[in-house]
Amino acid sequence: MLKRKTTTELKAEAFTVRAGMKNAVVDIERIDYHHYLPLFFEGLRETTHPYETLACQGVYDMLDHGGPKILPVIPLLVQPIREALNTRNHRVMCNMLKVLQRLVTSADGVGEALVPYYRNILPMFNIFKDKKSLDSESGDDVADLVKETLTVMEQHGGQNAFMHIKYMIPTYQSCTRN
């Protein structure tokens, strides 16, 4: 019987392979976004070096260069986003909130495509939106990042974003409405 490898084991193998290759360059345009972007999003739950760094850098590189390849992968990212936020680890949450801001602004239509998944993503936002707590590593305040992320999600989520955010977070005040 074959044993299924965990995400951490897969990342360790990938890191070992990369470390063994000298001057290996991967053409970001040829990467399979359906496979690797969700994998890197899962890696954002990691707190140990070098996995945390690899996951963050991988996500940011793919979001910066993905363009239209990102939109079809949105449904595959919802579960890793939710799991990372549910860890309640402040460093993991801060990393994920920053990544969410980048994801929403990464390509046209991504912010709007994320709106139907707000019910899966926003419950943790509601818990941490008013709790002032600093991440000891980065010095980021989770509550401030939650508010910034909600603002970005509303601005890039289209006309229904505010309604969905308000449903999940009743005390949320719009950043675009008077």
Side-chain angles (χ1 to χ4, degrees):
M1 183 173 185
L2 292 173
K3 179 185 168 210
R4 185 171 180 223
K5 294 182 180 179
T6 65
T7 305
T8 305
E9 290 170 334
L10 289 171
K11 284 185 245 164
E13 285 180 9
F15 182 75
T16 304
V17 170
R18 279 193 207 117
M21 296 187 289
K22 298 197 188 274
N23 299 326
V25 178
V26 176
D27 183 11
I28 194 103
E29 302 299 323
R30 300 180 70 198
I31 290 179
D32 179 8
Y33 272 67
H34 277 82
H35 177 75
Y36 287 105
L37 192 57
L39 186 66
F40 281 122
F41 264 79
E42 286 179 25
L44 291 173
R45 288 181 296 175
E46 294 292 335
T47 56
T48 55
H49 183 74
Y51 307 121
E52 176 185 17
T53 306
L54 284 171
C56 286
Q57 191 60 50
V59 165
Y60 285 129
D61 287 347
M62 292 184 81
L63 292 178
D64 288 345
H65 296 80
K69 293 180 183 179
I70 297 168
L71 190 57
V73 184
I74 295 295
L76 302 174
L77 302 179
V78 174
Q79 189 64 29
I81 291 169
R82 183 178 180 190
E83 289 173 357
L85 293 172
N86 284 339
T87 64
R88 297 178 186 232
N89 179 309
H90 291 217
R91 182 167 34 158
V92 171
M93 289 183 71
C94 288
N95 285 340
M96 183 53 75
L97 291 168
K98 291 175 188 175
V99 165
L100 269 172
Q101 291 179 30
R102 183 82 64 95
L103 173 66
V104 168
T105 60
S106 64
D108 292 337
V110 171
E112 291 178 29
L114 207 55
V115 172
Y117 301 104
Y118 282 2
R119 286 181 183 236
N120 297 327
I121 297 171
L122 296 183
M124 272 304 143
F125 282 52
N126 200 22
I127 293 170
F128 284 91
K129 72 178 174 27
D130 294 323
K131 291 185 179 180
K132 292 287 182 189
S133 54
L134 292 177
D135 172 33
S136 58
E137 294 272 326
S138 65
D140 291 323
D141 182 18
V142 177
D144 288 343
L145 277 173
V146 166
K147 290 172 186 166
E148 289 172 22
T149 306
L150 286 170
T151 299
V152 172
M153 291 171 93
E154 180 185 358
Q155 290 171 342
H156 295 276
Q159 63 185 15
N160 292 328
F162 173 73
M163 178 182 63
H164 283 83
I165 292 171
K166 190 71 171 173
Y167 179 77
M168 294 303 297
I169 305 171
T171 59
Y172 176 72
Q173 297 297 316
S174 176
C175 63
T176 59
R177 298 172 188 241
N178 293 330

